[in-house]
Amino acid sequence: MAIARALVHEPDWLLADEPTGNLDTETGKMIFTLLQEMNRKKGCGVILITHDLGLAEKSDCFIDREDGETVNNNDC
């Protein structure tokens, strides 16, 4: 429900903190796809915070931090 409330007004930016963390795999994929569509079709910037490296690697750009240091910036 929180995701629907966040998207209903078509924001310029969306900060998504662990949006798939408590979801089953299939629903998590659907949410990630929805966020990608918001970015590509509506021009909504998406900042996604996750501990799921697999999800991060599907993003156009990701920054990996460990112990307060950037360890990978995926050429962002």
Side-chain angles (χ1 to χ4, degrees):
M1 194 67 164
I3 293 172
R5 284 192 302 267
L7 298 179
V8 72
H9 296 291
E10 297 184 1
D12 293 331
W13 283 94
L14 185 65
L15 177 60
D17 185 8
E18 296 286 355
T20 63
N22 292 325
L23 303 175
D24 62 86
T25 303
E26 190 61 33
T27 304
K29 288 178 184 177
M30 290 172 40
I31 295 301
F32 185 74
T33 299
L34 177 63
L35 295 175
Q36 284 182 312
E37 287 177 5
M38 285 291 293
N39 176 253
R40 293 187 176 124
K41 293 181 181 176
K42 303 286 186 176
C44 176
V46 178
I47 299 173
L48 176 81
I49 295 91
T50 185
H51 289 93
D52 183 344
L53 187 56
L55 188 63
E57 289 173 341
K58 292 178 184 176
S59 301
D60 294 334
C61 172
F62 73 89
I63 299 170
D64 190 9
R65 308 242 330 147
E66 185 175 301
D67 298 326
E69 302 291 326
T70 300
V71 294
N72 182 356
N73 70 0
N74 190 31
D75 298 323
C76 295

